[in-house]
Structure formats: structure tokens, C-alpha cells
Amino acid sequence: MKNKKKVSAPLLCSVFLFSVALFLWVFGVYVVGSVGQNYMVEWQFFSLCGSDWSLPVVVDYISVVFSCFVCLISGSVSLFSVSYMEGEMFMRRFMLLIMAFVGSMNLLIFIPSLVTILLGWDGLGIVSFALVIYYQNKKSLAAGMLTVLANRIGDALLILSICFLVNWGEWRIGYGMTGSFSVLICFLVVIGAMTKSAQIPFSAWLPAAMAAPTPVSALVHSSTLVTAGVYLVIRFYSTLIEAQEVLWFLSKMGALTLLMAGLSACFEVDLKKIIALSTLSQLGLMMFTVGIGFPLIAVFHLFTHALFKALLFLCAGSIIHSTMDTQDGRILGGLSYLLPFSSGCLVLSSAALCGMPFLSGFYSKDLILEGAFSGFSGSLEVLVMLMGAGLSLVYSLRIMLVGVFGQNYGSSLLGYMVESGYVVSSICVLSIGAVMGGWLLQSVWVGVNGSSLVGVFGKVVISVVTFVGLSYGFISGILTETISKKFFSSLSWFLSSMWFMNLASGSFLAGVGLKLGKMMHLHLDLGWMEILGGQGMFKALSDGVSLSYFVQKGSLLVHTRIFLILLILFLVSSVMMY
């Protein structure tokens, strides 16, 4: 009975979430889409000093489709968790955390008021912290602390922006309002969003958060939580367009994050961390797209990316679970014969990540590359973006070589298990989305069918970036021992450590700070400060007390000595006076 109860909680949650996703898709296509209008319902709570605090609920294509995808991915993850976490004692607690996460995400999606967004934003931070530290070992606790501290910076910046927005008398966003402190408010909102979306210099927490269970990584750290920052920037875009300096800054940071994460993913060996760094790279691409002035294409890429990245994580989770918790890429390999279904879906999602034509990733990625060519970006910025987009092929091929093809250095076949029906069904749902998601969205949502006028040279460059990365990937895979090691030996540490981002984020406290603290303790607390401080004062006082005690002993010899000393002092002072 207990086991049935454990299974029933995630099954009920997944059925509920799938039905909500189906209702939202039908509602979005036939109500919002057919009429072609956006709706806003608003309740006013109170008005004070010219500032209204209201609860607006916005119903448009972006919010409905995003909520539909969140519920679809959450339902698939709940179904996947039945098999993946079957031995878990506190399954109900895990499902409650996931449902709290979905509730916080929907609060963030549907309510375009910065005060109420803060509630969903904080809810996401707290629930993600609880999910990252779920296994409660040393690694997951350290990762959870890094996650929550990075997210608290974003919370503090959002609270500051709310304080400055009182000057506008309005907390709702998406109206294209502007006023006093507009550049400062835009910077606060954008940097707050960058903490949640793990842009440079807040990138270290996202790969560290892979200490969470794999279903959590699939839900939280691939498709929903990390895209909350991008979603906030897109909702705030009508105000950001008044502050071009902020958009300039955002596009530069996005391009750098894209390049940094792509290079790091080419050197990583942990399967889950490679996928996490590919997520970071795609988030940088979305931020870059918003920065160069194409927010709608960034939303489109956000939706298609959510589908194939959640599928990629679930396939990786199925492989890790079936190989007795092995996720080191140096051991895995040759799984195409042992786990054909998971391996096939892993190849499918990697191909969608590359931008393979007519899979869901192709539609949005091609639009972004065209937009970068037709926009007003600098040539160096476009070059960095093209390099980052080209690297997506390299790390996608690396995921396939690590997980599916290549030589297996693992244990005997006794350590392998077969995927359960729950895992297969959850992967099937997302694989349909990864194949047809982009085409379906373009067919029902006219706004993302934009085309940019790009010349023949631009299209040739886009094709080269999309396909030439494969040849580089094969070359680096085949000639790893000879060319790559010589070429990258000096750069490998710099590139694999995310441009020292981990050192910059955690080591001020965990590494350098603790070492300096130990040195100060040994050399100052137990050294000079001890001699000149507490112990020295104690010794001086004890010597003084012992001298006073010695003087007051009442001995004739002591009194004679004191009399002689005072007499000598009196004579010396009188001689000096005359």
C-alpha cells in the first residue's frame, strides 16, 4: 500500500498538469489566437500617495503558451520521477516542491506587476534552493548556498527597482512607461534578471546546481527557472527601449556568456554539466537577441529551447539511472545497443539543439542569426555570436559521443537496467514537442513568422555556422590525442573553468576567504595580536597585581627597599631642579 501511495502522488500530479497544459493550448489557439486580442483583468487593492497597488492578470500569446509549456514539462517530469525516484522515502514532499515551483512560475508569468512578480521570483528562489539541496550531501549543500546567494542579489536589485518605481506611480510593466531614474531602474531590472538567468558574472551557480536530482534539473535548470530572467526582460522591453545603453550592455553580456559557456562545454566531462553549459549558452543567445532588438524571436527561441532541452535532460537522466548512477563521460559510451530508445531521443534532442532543419530548434535559431545580420550590431559582436552559435554543434556532438557512441569503459552488463514505461512515456511526450514544437508555434502564432532581408552572403554564413561546426566536431573528436591537446593544452584550464567564473563566484568566501582567515588565525590571533592584545594585557596586569601584593606584604626589608628607592628619586629630582 505504501508503495502505491508513493506512485499515486506523482501520477496524479502529472495527469493534472497534462490536462492543464492541454486546456491552455486549446484556450490559447482558439480564444486568444482566433480573436487576435490580448486580455487584462485587474483588481485594485489600495491606492496610496498616487501609487496604485493592483493585481493585473495578462492573457496573451506569450503568457498562455509559456504556462502551457511549463505545465507540459512539469507533467513529463512528474511522470519520469515515478521511475527515477522510486526508492525515495519522501516522495510526497518532492511532489509538493514541484507543484510549489509550478505555482510560483505561473504567478511570475501571468501577473505583470513588479511587486507581485517579486512574490513569484522569491518563491522560485526558495523552491529551487530546497530542490538543489534535496540529497543533503556536502556537494549539494554547497551548490544550494551558491544558488541562493546569487538569486538573493537579484531579489535585492528588484526590491530597489520597486522603490524607485514609486516615482512613476506605477508598478505594472509592459506599458512603455518612462520617467525619473529610468536608466537606473532599467539597469536594476536587467542585472536582477541576469542573476536568475546566470549571465556573466553570475554564471557559476547553474552548473553547480546540477547536484540536484535529474528530474529537477530537467524542470528547473533547463526550461523554466533560468528562463524567468529572460521572460522578465522581454516583458520590460517596452521600457528598456527608452534606455539604449541598457540594451547595448545586455547584448554584450549575452554574447560573452554564449561564447564562454560554449567553450566550457567543449572541455567538460560530466554529462549533466555539458547539458547545463549548453543551457547557459542558449540563455546567452536569448539575452543577445533581446539586446539587439528582437524580443519576440527571443520568446520563440525560449519556447522551442524549453522543449528540446527538457527532453535532453530526461534522456540523460534515463541513461544515468539505467547505468547505476554513472554520469562521467570518460566511462559512458556504446549505449546505442544497450538503451536504444533513450539514446535515440538523446540524438534527436541534440540535433534539435544544433538547429537541424525542420526540427523545433531550427526555426528560432535561423531567425536569430538572420536578425543579427540585419540589425545594427557591430561586426565583432556578430562574430562572437556566430562563434558561440557554431560551438553548439561541437558540444551537441560531444554529448552524442559521450552518451551514445564511442567506446564504453564502464562495468559489466550486470549493472544496466531497462527503461520503465513511465520513463518511455514521458520522453515520448517531449520528443513530439521537440520535433513539431517550432512548426506548431509558427503555424498558430503569426508574430513569430518574421523574416529579415539577408543577402546571399548572410545566408551562406548562416549555413556555414549551422553545418561546418560538425566537421570541426569530428576533427576534434578524432584528433583529440594529437592536435587538440597540443593546441589547447595552455588554454584548457582557463576554458574548462568557465573563464575562472567559479573562482570569482565562490572562492572569495569559500577558497581565498577561508585560507586568509586561517592564516590570520594562526599568525595574528595566535601570534602578534595575542602577545600585544589579550594575553599581553593579562600578563601586564598579573605582573602589576603581584608587585602590589609584594609591596603590601608588611616586611621590614621591603619597606627599607622602598624607602631607599624613594630617597634616590627625591635626590635625583632635586639635583635636576637646581
Side-chain angles (χ1 to χ4, degrees):
M1 280 298 290
K2 278 186 179 178
N3 199 22
K4 280 187 180 177
K5 277 185 181 177
K6 277 183 195 173
V7 171
S8 66
L11 274 178
L12 282 171
C13 289
S14 62
V15 169
F16 170 71
L17 288 165
F18 279 139
S19 53
V20 170
L22 185 64
F23 165 74
L24 281 170
W25 179 256
V26 173
F27 176 77
V29 172
Y30 291 106
V31 178
V32 181
S34 60
V35 181
Q37 291 179 348
N38 301 332
Y39 300 93
M40 179 173 278
V41 185
E42 189 169 4
W43 291 276
Q44 184 177 358
F45 288 131
F46 64 83
S47 178
L48 185 67
C49 300
S51 291
D52 295 339
W53 189 31
S54 54
L55 183 73
V57 177
V58 65
V59 180
D60 61 351
Y61 252 127
I62 297 177
S63 58
V64 169
V65 174
F66 197 11
S67 180
C68 167
F69 281 9
V70 167
C71 293
L72 179 73
I73 292 164
S74 308
S76 302
V77 164
S78 305
L79 202 57
F80 183 83
S81 303
V82 177
S83 168
Y84 189 84
M85 304 188 75
E86 58 188 348
E88 179 57 45
M89 291 290 291
F90 304 106
M91 195 66 196
R92 193 168 292 174
R93 183 191 300 171
F94 181 73
M95 292 316 300
L96 278 172
L97 282 171
I98 283 186
M99 294 305 286
F101 177 82
V102 175
S104 301
M105 198 71 207
N106 280 310
L107 196 65
L108 183 82
I109 290 167
F110 280 109
I111 302 177
S113 166
L114 212 56
V115 176
T116 324
I117 275 179
L118 190 67
L119 294 176
W121 192 268
D122 263 347
L124 288 176
I126 293 162
V127 173
S128 69
F129 173 66
L131 287 169
V132 168
I133 63 164
Y134 192 78
Y135 285 144
Q136 294 186 8
N137 52 29
K138 196 174 179 182
K139 185 182 174 186
S140 64
L141 288 170
M145 190 54 68
L146 188 58
T147 303
V148 79
L149 287 176
N151 285 326
R152 289 317 286 171
I153 297 170
D155 299 342
L157 293 173
L158 272 189
I159 291 167
L160 278 174
S161 65
I162 288 169
C163 298
F164 280 110
L165 275 172
V166 174
N167 293 300
W168 297 4
E170 184 65 85
W171 281 317
R172 288 175 298 179
I173 58 175
Y175 290 97
M177 293 181 63
T178 185
S180 54
F181 306 110
S182 62
V183 175
L184 179 61
I185 289 168
C186 291
F187 259 116
L188 288 171
V189 169
V190 161
I191 296 173
M194 281 166 61
T195 59
K196 194 71 88 178
S197 290
Q199 302 298 296
I200 288 176
F202 309 106
S203 303
W205 71 263
L206 184 56
M210 291 301 110
T214 306
V216 173
S217 304
L219 174 64
V220 177
H221 303 119
S222 68
S223 48
T224 47
L225 169 84
V226 289
T227 54
V230 182
Y231 180 79
L232 176 64
V233 169
I234 289 162
R235 280 288 188 210
F236 209 69
Y237 184 77
S238 54
T239 304
L240 287 179
I241 205 166
E242 303 291 335
Q244 287 296 321
E245 308 93 340
V246 182
L247 287 177
W248 178 87
F249 170 74
L250 187 64
S251 66
K252 301 295 179 286
M253 287 293 113
L256 280 175
T257 308
L258 169 66
L259 185 63
M260 179 271 292
L263 286 169
S264 302
C266 297
F267 286 88
E268 187 57 61
V269 291
D270 191 310
L271 181 61
K272 275 178 76 175
K273 280 198 176 176
I274 296 173
I275 303 173
L277 288 164
S278 76
T279 303
L280 189 53
S281 171
Q282 298 301 311
L283 287 169
L285 188 61
M286 290 174 213
M287 285 292 197
F288 172 79
T289 312
V290 177
I292 60 172
F294 295 97
L296 207 58
I297 299 175
V299 172
F300 185 31
H301 189 59
L302 190 153
F303 293 159
T304 55
H305 168 261
L307 289 171
F308 62 73
K309 192 50 66 72
L311 173 64
L312 194 56
F313 261 115
L314 287 192
C315 293
S318 170
I319 286 170
I320 290 166
H321 189 54
S322 303
T323 54
M324 304 301 284
D325 304 330
T326 304
Q327 60 189 63
D328 193 332
R330 293 165 293 191
I331 299 172
L332 288 168
L335 298 174
S336 51
Y337 301 109
L338 297 168
L339 301 165
F341 180 75
S342 295
S343 303
C345 288
L346 187 80
V347 172
L348 169 70
S349 51
S350 298
L353 176 60
C354 294
M356 185 65 70
F358 311 114
L359 294 180
S360 63
F362 162 73
Y363 295 94
S364 54
K365 197 170 178 183
D366 198 55
L367 282 173
I368 289 172
L369 293 171
E370 285 181 1
F373 269 99
S374 62
F376 297 102
S377 310
S379 53
L380 182 63
E381 191 175 11
V382 171
L383 181 67
V384 167
M385 195 274 301
L386 288 173
M387 280 179 65
L391 283 169
S392 65
L393 276 130
V394 183
Y395 57 69
S396 303
L397 194 75
R398 190 172 161 75
I399 291 168
M400 287 191 270
L401 287 172
V402 161
V404 181
F405 309 112
Q407 177 66 39
N408 185 6
Y409 296 100
S411 56
S412 65
L413 296 181
L414 293 172
Y416 288 88
M417 296 187 295
V418 185
E419 307 109 324
S420 69
Y422 297 115
V423 171
V424 169
S425 52
S426 64
I427 289 176
C428 273
V429 170
L430 287 177
S431 58
I432 293 167
V435 174
M436 300 180 65
W439 173 76
L440 276 173
L441 273 174
Q442 276 203 341
S443 59
V444 301
W445 189 3
V446 182
V448 294
N449 279 309
S451 60
S452 304
L453 293 173
V454 180
V456 177
F457 173 71
K459 289 305 275 185
V460 167
V461 170
I462 289 169
S463 307
V464 165
V465 164
T466 311
F467 293 108
V468 139
L470 273 178
S471 61
Y472 169 71
F474 276 119
I475 289 166
S476 64
I478 295 163
L479 305 175
T480 306
E481 298 299 322
T482 57
I483 295 172
S484 297
K485 274 194 177 176
K486 288 177 184 174
F487 183 67
F488 286 122
S489 58
S490 56
L491 289 173
S492 59
W493 186 46
F494 173 66
L495 295 174
S496 60
S497 67
M498 292 172 60
W499 296 1
F500 306 136
M501 203 65 62
N502 296 323
L503 296 172
S505 298
S507 295
F508 282 136
L509 297 175
V512 179
L514 289 178
K515 284 174 187 169
L516 284 175
K518 187 180 177 184
M519 284 172 64
M520 286 178 68
H521 175 68
L522 289 172
H523 299 106
L524 292 179
D525 290 356
L526 300 179
W528 286 106
M529 282 178 70
E530 196 72 15
I531 294 167
L532 301 173
Q535 290 294 331
M537 189 68 71
F538 175 73
K539 195 169 185 314
L541 284 172
S542 61
D543 288 346
V545 169
S546 60
L547 179 64
S548 171
Y549 179 69
F550 178 71
V551 167
Q552 296 172 33
K553 277 173 73 172
S555 167
L556 184 62
L557 186 62
V558 171
H559 284 303
T560 310
R561 282 178 185 172
I562 292 171
F563 175 73
L564 288 172
I565 290 167
L566 289 174
L567 183 64
I568 290 165
L569 285 172
F570 175 72
L571 290 172
V572 169
S573 61
S574 58
V575 167
M576 287 178 71
M577 282 176 68
Y578 292 111

